Structures are given as structure tokens and as C-alpha cells.
Amino acid sequence: MTVPTTDDGHRDGRSLHERIAADLRDRIMTGDLAPGVKLPSTARLKEQFAASNATIQKALQLLKDERLVVGRAGSAVTVREHRQQTVRPAASTAPRSDGEPYPWLPEGHAGRAWRSRLLTVGEVVPPADVAAALRLAAGDTAIHRSQVLTVDGEPVELVHTYYPPEVARGTALAQRQRVKGGSPALLAELGLRIVRCVDLVTARVPTQEQYEALRLPGDLPVLRTLRVAYAASAAGERPVEATVMTKAGHLYELRYEFHPDLASPAGGPAPSD
């Protein structure tokens, strides 16, 4: 397989099996290799990539470890039915009733066993970007809650949520317990109805905590979303919640819907961050 180089001659320095896995991963994630479809045979992959049998097997093992394909030695390797899932962030702030699925569940997870495991609750100095989002001064503390969200026993998201102390102290948000109906419902009860959320999404190499909590197979990037929720106040909007959500980048995609005319001069100014 011939790989084009850039004008300055820069080439992919990864090992051959990593490059093969990357190309196959892309075909899986774009849908060219759909769920249930068999991957090309080892013989065909050897010819396509000019690689040995051992190299092809190492590439396939990476994809198996990433839960993108399934198959045993000597049998066809197929794309898993539950591959990359779509998450609609706009639905995640809606309150829910007891017994209802969490609104963060991806479209393909309906009917599967979901669970939220609370890890820690306390008062901490938040990361700098969170402090800035909540308009806290350097060294100020925030009420912090962390949890891992699982589906069918598999971790799907690591969540760290922060609240200004004057908002959360003395409420269920500061206690080691589940928040009935979720934080949007509790904030609304406090007179802090969320009117706007702003997401900042980045792809990053996983931290040690993320690697272990999400049971990641390697250094594939994670999707990190910093979501800031604003409530209406007499002086305008105020930030009342900042959440850092981390998902495995190769298993989840985020779907945002918007109307371009709303952000154009004719449609009025777009909301500022």
C-alpha cells in the first residue's frame, strides 16, 4: 500500500501494525465496514499492506482490545454490533424521573443496563479552566462530585462536576448521595433554572485516572467535554455548574444540531461564552 507523503517528506512514524489498525479503525468508524461485516481476510490484508501474517494479527488484536471487532484465531473477524455510539449533548441536561434512563445514554444503548457509580464528593480547588468557567478566584474551592457511568458493566464516561460553594453547600449536591431527578432538577428547585449550556470539546491523550476508570486499551485519544451551565439571575446569566466529561474517543461521537441562520447577522448575534 502506497502512503502519500507531505511536501516536506514527513511520513507516519508508527509501527506498521499500528498504521494498519488505524486505517481499518477509520473504515469501521466511518461505516465502510458496518457492524456485523467481516473484515478482509488475512491473506487480502497481507497483500494490501505488504505485511507479514504476524503484523496483520497484531493489528487485528489492537482492534479487538479496543472492542471494535470480535473473532478468534482461525475464524473470520467481524465488526462488533455495538461500535461507535452517538451521544446528543443537547438532551443531557433534561431532568429525569426515578427509574428513567439517564439522558446521557447514547442512542444505541436503549434497553441496556445502565448505572451511575458515585466515586467522591467533597470541596476542592478545581482545575484552572473549571475555576475560570465558574468565575472563581485563584485558590477558591468548589463543591466537587465525581462518578463513572457504565452500560452493561462497561465504563462509558468519567464525570467530574463542580459547583460554586454558595450554590451547593447545604444541598444534596454536597452530600454523598444520589441527586433525585439529577442536578438540573435540584438547581431548578433552588431557583437556578439552567437557561444555557456551553460545551468545549477537545481530544486528548488519556490521563492515568481516565485510562484506568474507562479501562482504555492504549493511548487512543479521549473526548473531553467541559460543559458550563448558566442560570438566569438579576444581573444576567451566572455559571452554576461546570462538568468535565471524558469518553473513549474511538467508541463515542458527539452529535450537535444547530441552525446556521441563528448565528448569522440576519438572525441576530450568537450567544457569547
Side-chain angles (χ1 to χ4, degrees):
M1 180 180 182
T2 302
V3 179
T5 60
T6 59
D7 292 339
D8 61 2
H10 181 72
R11 295 187 64 89
D12 190 336
R14 292 173 294 181
S15 61
L16 181 55
H17 77 278
E18 291 175 318
R19 285 181 274 147
I20 294 171
D23 286 1
L24 293 175
R25 185 186 303 114
D26 182 70
R27 295 182 63 190
I28 292 171
M29 295 176 73
T30 57
D32 290 339
L33 291 171
V37 167
K38 295 179 181 179
L39 265 61
S41 66
T42 298
R44 187 172 176 183
L45 291 174
K46 287 170 60 179
E47 179 181 359
Q48 179 182 354
F49 292 103
S52 67
N53 182 77
T55 298
I56 296 299
Q57 296 308 315
K58 288 177 70 175
L60 295 179
Q61 187 59 51
L62 284 180
L63 300 178
K64 292 176 184 177
D65 292 343
E66 294 166 14
R67 295 173 282 171
L68 291 176
V69 302
V70 293
R72 299 185 302 274
S75 63
V77 177
T78 60
V79 179
R80 281 190 62 176
E81 289 296 332
H82 298 296
R83 55 181 187 85
Q84 193 175 41
Q85 302 292 332
T86 300
V87 178
R88 294 176 181 264
S92 63
T93 59
R96 69 179 183 87
S97 301
D98 287 345
E100 287 185 353
Y102 286 97
W104 49 262
L105 282 174
E107 296 172 353
H109 286 337
R112 300 173 66 185
W114 47 268
R115 182 171 179 259
S116 169
R117 180 164 61 91
L118 189 62
L119 301 177
T120 60
V121 178
E123 192 160 339
V124 302
V125 175
D129 57 350
V130 170
L134 292 177
R135 302 173 187 169
L136 300 175
D140 282 357
T141 60
I143 303 301
H144 170 236
R145 299 174 64 86
S146 66
Q147 58 185 321
V148 171
L149 312 178
T150 65
V151 174
D152 291 345
E154 292 185 355
V156 299
E157 189 168 65
L158 176 63
V159 181
H160 290 276
T161 308
Y162 303 84
Y163 302 91
E166 69 273 14
V167 168
R169 279 185 185 144
T171 74
L173 295 172
Q175 300 172 15
R176 191 176 178 83
Q177 64 181 56
R178 296 186 183 279
V179 179
K180 186 176 181 179
S183 62
L186 189 147
L187 290 170
E189 291 176 5
L190 297 174
L192 299 170
R193 184 177 64 86
I194 295 175
V195 296
R196 184 168 68 98
C197 291
V198 177
D199 279 8
L200 180 63
V201 183
T202 56
R204 304 186 180 189
V205 174
T207 64
Q208 295 181 65
E209 178 196 32
Q210 294 161 355
Y211 189 97
E212 294 177 3
L214 297 175
R215 302 177 194 167
L216 298 173
D219 277 342
L220 289 174
V222 291
L223 291 176
R224 180 189 189 267
T225 301
L226 170 58
R227 172 171 298 159
V228 185
Y230 295 85
S233 69
E237 295 179 352
R238 60 177 292 199
V240 294
E241 181 182 73
T243 305
V244 177
M245 298 167 282
T246 307
K247 298 180 180 67
H250 67 295
L251 296 179
Y252 294 89
E253 63 182 9
L254 308 180
R255 177 173 177 173
Y256 291 90
E257 297 182 17
F258 59 92
H259 300 280
D261 58 319
L262 297 181
S264 67
S272 63
D273 292 349

